[in-house]
Amino acid sequence: MTKTRSQTHAALKIIPLGGLHEIGKNTCVFEMNDEILLLDAGLAFPTEGMHGVQVVLPDLTYLRENRHKIKGMVITHGHEDHIGGIPFHLQQLDIPIMYGPRLAIALLQAKLEEAGVAHRTKLHPVGPRDFVRVGNSFLVEFIRNTHSIADSFSVALHTPVGVVIHTGDFKIDHTPIDGERFDLQRLAEHGEKGVLCLMSDSTNAELPGFTPSERAVIPALDRAFAEAPGRLLITTFASSVHRLNIILQLAQKHNRKVSVLGRSMLNVIAHARTLGYIQCPDDLLQPMHVIRQLPDEQVVILTTGSQGEPLSALTRIANREHKEIQIRPTDTVVFSANPIPGNTLAVVSTIDKLMAQGAKVIYGKERGIHVSGHGSQEDQKLMLALTKPKFFVPIHGEHRMLVKHSETAQALGIPAENIVIVDNGDVIELTPDRIQVVGRVKAGIELVDASGEGVVDGKVLKERQQLADEGVVTVAATLDGQGQLVANPELHVRGVVTSVSLATLRQLVQETLAQTVQERWSEFAVNGTDVDWAGLKEAMEAALQRLIRRELKSQPLLIFLLQTTAASATPPAEEANRRTRKRRSEVATV
């Protein structure tokens, strides 16, 4: 019997763990012949309800379960939503080697050393058109693209089933600030030879036309420099190396000195200058104590905080909390960035506070001070036309963006049956003849606590939300060995709005606990001496919860502490384990 073409090849599995139906935490798994290649490992930032959460990561269950298969990682560029998760990944996984552009590798090296995990991988910088072998199944080719950060790549994965091109984040900028043009020729060469599958950035799939060049912001920023009567404060994304370069060049043109505020921006500028992506005289950059001695019209303050981040320099300035800078009526503040979805309220609040202190604030899309780093519909069409893929997977975007990108692909002749719109955790199976979703792996999010190490589970997050929304009620009671209340229970209420007086609530709590113990003592006391204190406590806590819901018309977090004076109060091991599982429970002997 003659084997079909699809029977002679193993299938390539593509499993996105982040970056789909969302913006952020871009992480993709390529798996073939029991070998895994990771492409990027990003993070996202917490939403308003994620109290105490520092960063949001993709669920790594699948990688933890298959850690023995991981052969290496490929990095497309140095944005946080593509490399920010790597230090957290390396706390759980060994990744033998990572390949990426020089700037991304430099930024990542500092992150790994700070996190104490640099020994768990080897970092290897690559250049345009470099090839690297990862395992036996993957030959990876790096193709220069253009984006809002310098040193950015698309990648061509040469696999036994064919070539898969992953665009990374991109726009097609024909006049890039650093002169490093998109290698469209190499994409076209792959298109002529045959691209099995294209995975392409969908962020701006809803926007018609081409995304403007980064140079498009120069006239508006130049005008802001020329018209500012006093100090000029400019905020943008710390990793927007091209934008930073433009600002430094304009500062030099207008005879202003620059002071940089914000650790992340200082770090990016330092590495970009070392690698040659930012070029400026050493004396252009000055520390704040020097800047303060200069006339206001000779000063530029370049700062983080374009997204209204609570701890950023600009937010602290707006809140009058910065120890070195206070807003003056002659100051001009430029927001050279658009709010990321979810950050609009924080950004608007910062703008209001700056304007209330007398500053002139320049912001908004219509002012021409920001352009996106992601390609719009015509950029996406050009990518599709050059690569001519057989199969297509839209990536990096929310659901409506993925759908719109698939419609664009169909308009260029890719059949609908050759396109798959997937979610994080979906398993794509790719052969020379077909593409299909064949299953799912565990996917979702892992929340990292502000400590930077502890993972916040769903129950803890729910309790934090309860504390924020409805407050906390603490009740402490003491029973003797016969189940009698030794004293009146202690009641503390924090953050709870109620029409019931504390004296009334305290009386109701005492009556409820006494009644519960009286009615259920025989259920938990064996022979009157061996008492299941943990079980009794659960019953008392449940009764208190019902009382609080009824009387307060809300559901604050309840913390119930039960003490006992009984001599034999130490519970059996099984009961102790039950108490450990009850986070809010504690039985103690006094």
Side-chain angles (χ1 to χ4, degrees):
M1 177 175 147
T2 303
K3 291 186 178 180
T4 66
R5 188 179 180 192
S6 61
Q7 290 175 314
T8 62
H9 294 276
L12 171 67
K13 291 182 180 178
I14 305 172
I15 310 171
L17 296 179
L20 295 179
H21 297 254
E22 63 183 352
I23 301 295
K25 63 185 180 66
N26 299 280
T27 306
C28 193
V29 175
F30 293 87
E31 182 173 349
M32 191 164 197
N33 300 323
D34 286 332
E35 294 182 334
I36 284 179
L37 167 68
L38 300 176
L39 192 146
D40 290 339
L43 54 75
F45 293 102
T47 60
E48 187 176 348
M50 296 179 179
H51 304 284
V53 173
Q54 182 188 38
V55 297
V56 181
L57 301 173
D59 190 314
L60 298 184
T61 300
Y62 184 76
L63 292 180
R64 286 191 290 265
E65 292 173 348
N66 294 274
R67 67 182 71 206
H68 60 286
K69 297 181 182 180
I70 299 174
K71 301 302 178 184
M73 175 182 286
V74 170
I75 298 165
T76 60
H77 64 283
H79 276 152
E80 284 294 286
D81 60 335
H82 290 261
I83 68 170
I86 294 175
F88 302 98
H89 287 37
L90 287 174
Q91 292 173 4
Q92 308 175 57
L93 308 166
D94 286 313
I95 303 176
I97 191 165
M98 297 183 184
Y99 298 97
R102 294 184 304 155
L103 180 57
I105 292 296
L107 295 172
L108 185 57
Q109 180 71 51
K111 289 176 177 291
L112 300 189
E113 290 175 356
E114 183 178 354
V117 293
H119 63 286
R120 303 198 68 165
T121 191
K122 180 180 179 182
L123 299 178
H124 194 289
V126 295
R129 297 200 177 189
D130 280 357
F131 286 81
V132 298
R133 170 71 66 179
V134 180
N136 296 314
S137 303
F138 305 101
L139 180 63
V140 184
E141 177 186 358
F142 292 84
I143 301 171
R144 169 71 72 205
N145 73 18
T146 46
H147 184 40
S148 56
I149 188 173
D151 214 4
S152 179
F153 288 115
S154 301
V155 296
L157 303 180
H158 300 256
T159 76
V161 299
V163 173
V164 177
I165 291 183
H166 189 294
T167 67
D169 290 358
F170 80 96
K171 70 176 178 181
I172 298 175
D173 190 340
H174 297 290
T175 57
I177 297 299
D178 58 5
E180 295 283 349
R181 291 178 174 83
F182 207 132
D183 194 351
L184 301 177
Q185 177 186 348
R186 187 57 182 154
L187 289 177
E189 290 173 359
H190 280 296
E192 287 301 311
K193 294 177 182 178
V195 172
L196 180 62
C197 182
L198 173 68
M199 304 175 70
S200 186
D201 176 8
S202 305
T203 305
N204 282 342
E206 299 171 290
L207 302 181
F210 286 98
T211 298
S213 167
E214 186 68 21
R215 291 186 183 274
V217 304
I218 294 178
L221 287 176
D222 193 11
R223 188 161 53 252
F225 271 85
E227 295 177 355
R231 296 184 305 181
L232 188 60
L233 286 77
I234 304 179
T235 183
T236 189
F237 294 106
S239 57
S240 294
V241 173
H242 300 319
R243 190 75 48 81
L244 299 177
N245 206 9
I246 289 171
I247 293 167
L248 293 174
Q249 290 173 0
L250 288 174
Q252 188 175 0
K253 173 185 174 182
H254 290 272
N255 297 313
R256 289 177 179 254
K257 299 298 183 182
V258 181
S259 189
V260 180
L261 297 180
R263 181 182 175 191
S264 57
M265 191 170 284
L266 283 164
N267 190 38
V268 169
I269 290 175
H271 287 298
R273 291 188 72 198
T274 300
L275 296 172
Y277 292 111
I278 288 179
Q279 297 180 357
C280 65
D282 289 343
D283 66 351
L284 181 67
L285 296 167
Q286 296 291 340
M288 186 55 64
H289 73 270
V290 173
I291 288 287
R292 284 200 297 267
Q293 308 304 316
L294 297 175
D296 285 359
E297 63 272 14
Q298 296 179 16
V299 170
V300 173
I301 297 171
L302 189 52
T303 176
T304 55
S306 67
Q307 300 303 304
E309 303 94 321
L311 299 180
S312 67
L314 188 61
T315 301
R316 287 185 285 122
I317 293 170
N319 291 334
R320 305 175 191 259
E321 296 173 351
H322 200 283
K323 60 184 179 182
E324 295 184 289
I325 300 178
Q326 291 77 41
I327 289 295
R328 299 170 186 167
T330 55
D331 287 344
T332 301
V333 183
V334 177
F335 279 74
S336 187
N338 289 335
I340 294 172
N343 293 345
T344 303
L345 292 178
V347 173
V348 169
S349 175
T350 301
I351 292 172
D352 282 347
K353 291 174 182 177
L354 292 168
M355 293 179 71
Q357 296 174 53
K360 176 184 178 182
V361 183
I362 302 174
Y363 64 97
K365 295 180 180 180
E366 71 282 357
R367 303 302 291 267
I369 52 177
H370 176 68
V371 293
S372 174
H374 300 270
S376 301
Q377 289 177 4
E378 296 303 318
D379 302 81
Q380 294 167 354
K381 288 177 183 178
L382 183 53
M383 176 64 72
L384 286 158
L386 288 173
T387 56
K388 297 187 257 188
K390 182 175 183 178
F391 302 112
F392 178 60
V393 182
I395 56 169
H396 198 296
E398 296 169 353
H399 181 72
R400 66 187 186 281
M401 303 170 187
L402 306 180
V403 171
K404 189 63 180 178
H405 203 173
S406 72
E407 293 173 355
T408 298
Q410 291 177 57
L412 267 69
I414 299 180
E417 59 269 22
N418 285 11
I419 301 172
V420 292
I421 297 176
V422 295
D423 201 353
N424 297 327
D426 285 344
V427 180
I428 304 170
E429 187 177 85
L430 182 66
T431 72
D433 302 313
R434 72 179 188 279
I435 186 170
Q436 59 183 342
V437 178
V438 296
R440 278 189 61 78
V441 303
K442 191 173 185 296
I445 59 175
E446 293 182 357
L447 307 175
V448 180
D449 194 82
S451 65
E453 297 180 2
V455 175
V456 182
D457 65 25
K459 183 176 180 181
V460 170
L461 196 64
K462 182 179 178 181
E463 289 180 349
R464 290 179 178 178
Q465 187 66 54
Q466 274 186 285
L467 283 168
D469 290 345
E470 301 184 88
V472 59
V473 174
T474 303
V475 177
T478 304
L479 295 178
D480 62 18
Q482 287 71 47
Q484 300 296 317
L485 286 169
V486 174
N488 293 335
E490 291 188 20
L491 172 69
H492 298 280
V493 177
R494 295 290 184 273
V496 178
V497 177
T498 175
S499 59
V500 180
S501 70
L502 282 181
T504 300
L505 188 58
R506 189 173 289 109
Q507 181 63 33
L508 290 171
V509 165
Q510 181 176 350
E511 292 172 358
T512 298
L513 292 178
Q515 182 179 354
T516 302
V517 174
Q518 181 181 2
E519 292 175 352
R520 303 193 65 177
W521 178 255
S522 60
E523 180 181 339
F524 297 103
V526 181
N527 300 323
T529 56
D530 189 6
V531 181
D532 177 3
W533 294 106
L536 178 61
K537 181 192 172 299
E538 288 180 11
M540 297 169 73
E541 184 173 12
L544 284 175
Q545 287 173 333
R546 290 192 295 270
L547 169 69
I548 290 169
R549 282 197 299 269
R550 184 179 71 246
E551 297 297 329
L552 302 184
K553 305 297 189 293
S554 63
Q555 296 188 43
L557 180 66
L558 171 64
I559 300 176
F560 177 48
L561 297 96
L562 177 62
Q563 298 176 321
T564 175
T565 60
S568 58
T570 304
E574 180 178 348
E575 292 177 7
N577 290 338
R578 290 171 61 189
R579 285 207 319 279
T580 300
R581 290 194 297 269
K582 295 288 290 181
R583 288 179 178 268
R584 293 173 294 173
S585 301
E586 180 179 341
V587 176
T589 302
V590 295

